[in-house]
Amino acid sequence: MTQATRVEILDGFRKKINTGRPVVGGGAGVGLSAKCAELAGLDFIVIYNSGRYRMAGRSSMAGLMPYGDANAIVMEMADEVLPVVRHTPVVAGVCGTDPFRSIPRLLDDVRSRGFAGVQNYPTVCLFEGIIRANLEETGLGFDREVDMVRLARERDLLTLSYVASPDEARAMVDAGADILVPHMGLTTSGTVGARTAISMAEVLDRLAEMRDAIVREDPDAIVICHGGPIAEPDDVDLVLRKVPGVHGFLGASSMERLPTEVAMVDHMRRFLDIQLNG
């Protein structure tokens, strides 16, 4: 594949935003999803460990649990996805809190494999309450993800950052994150989607709050939304109309699980509707 530089990628994104069009990225859990994403013209592709679970019919939440080595899974998935992508930037979901890896060495490997950038996933920003407190207290907190993004910027990798609060957003901007992605929780809808989620009204409020925190730190930052009830194109359209300064959308389940479920079920049912002759 042809590899654009970080500056070239960001210049392209900003030119698109300046013409009034959103930046749109999608997760790829299998090579076919990546091929479809490129055919559709998505601006970037992300490989998350959760994509493997999602496209195996399990919940994306499995990506936050100890069912596999998150960083190793992403590097394995790279062998399937990277060879079928010709020109679209591909980003690696990196677990920056992994206590068994040298993150600088991992980032060097990510770069040498052909990834254009990184994103902090799995991320502890999705945990709350006592579990989050314990992660922070024991050296497995969000600051490790911030450090990972800072190290990635030093290597001139494109950096996307999930955040779930204004404080996290400010920390990632200070670390040099290129694209901030306020995370609204597990995507709703479908066979393994969330049933419990915040309302769209709360999504709009949270997005506006984080957008304000981000632009105060860096007026030129790119902000894109993700997750929760933002599941369909109409949802994204609503968010972008209601919260100016949000520049696009990153979908994972929205891009590959939900359309796959609908298309396959509808297609298979058409065979069942065939009538025998005689």
Side-chain angles (χ1 to χ4, degrees):
M1 66 179 286
T2 303
Q3 183 77 308
T5 67
R6 170 182 161 272
V7 170
E8 289 170 340
I9 294 168
L10 289 171
D11 283 348
F13 290 174
R14 291 194 173 98
K15 286 177 182 176
K16 191 177 185 189
I17 291 166
N18 289 338
T19 66
R21 294 179 297 152
V23 172
V24 181
V30 293
L32 181 60
S33 297
K35 292 182 76 169
C36 291
E38 187 159 69
L39 286 170
L42 294 194
D43 297 297
F44 63 94
I45 296 166
V46 189
I47 303 178
Y48 300 114
N49 73 316
S50 59
R52 171 166 290 181
Y53 301 113
R54 175 169 54 247
M55 297 310 286
R58 276 72 173 182
S59 167
S60 297
M61 290 296 289
L64 298 174
M65 298 297 287
Y67 306 141
D69 182 334
N71 287 321
I73 288 171
V74 167
M75 299 308 278
E76 290 170 7
M77 292 169 70
D79 292 333
E80 180 176 347
V81 172
L82 291 175
V84 301
V85 179
R86 295 189 176 185
H87 56 78
T88 308
V90 181
V91 174
V94 173
C95 181
T97 59
D98 187 340
F100 293 99
R101 272 185 173 77
S102 163
I103 298 301
R105 191 176 304 135
L106 175 62
L107 293 174
D108 290 339
D109 193 16
V110 164
R111 184 178 178 83
S112 68
R113 292 287 290 276
F115 284 102
V118 299
Q119 184 166 9
N120 58 320
Y121 191 88
T123 173
V124 302
C125 81
L126 296 178
F127 290 93
E128 299 176 348
I130 193 168
I131 292 179
R132 175 65 181 272
N134 290 164
L135 288 168
E136 299 290 347
E137 294 162 355
T138 56
L140 301 173
F142 192 75
D143 61 313
R144 296 283 298 274
E145 299 178 27
V146 174
D147 289 342
M148 183 274 289
V149 167
R150 184 176 291 108
L151 289 167
R153 271 300 306 272
E154 291 175 2
R155 287 157 174 76
D156 205 31
L157 286 161
L158 181 72
T159 50
L160 288 79
S161 299
Y162 277 135
V163 294
S165 73
D167 286 343
E168 290 170 358
R170 283 187 285 266
M172 281 298 191
V173 172
D174 291 344
D178 297 307
I179 301 173
L180 285 299
V181 190
H183 200 309
M184 298 296 115
L186 181 66
T187 300
T188 60
S189 303
T191 60
V192 291
R195 299 293 183 269
T196 303
I198 62 176
S199 68
M200 185 59 79
E202 190 170 357
V203 163
L204 299 178
D205 288 342
R206 287 190 184 184
L207 274 172
E209 184 181 24
M210 283 186 266
R211 174 211 57 198
D212 290 347
I214 291 163
V215 298
R216 278 195 291 267
E217 297 290 321
D218 180 6
D220 296 324
I222 296 173
V223 182
I224 61 179
C225 58
H226 173 84
I230 315 172
E232 301 289 346
D234 287 347
D235 303 323
V236 177
D237 180 62
L238 173 66
V239 168
L240 299 186
R241 285 189 289 106
K242 295 290 187 179
V243 191
V246 175
H247 306 112
F249 174 67
L250 168 58
S253 292
S254 298
M255 294 298 187
E256 59 176 359
R257 177 178 63 79
L258 295 178
T260 299
E261 290 176 3
V262 173
M264 289 183 70
V265 171
D266 288 349
H267 186 71
M268 292 175 187
R269 283 176 176 166
R270 288 174 60 198
F271 288 98
L272 295 173
D273 290 337
I274 296 172
Q275 298 293 315
L276 294 176
N277 185 20

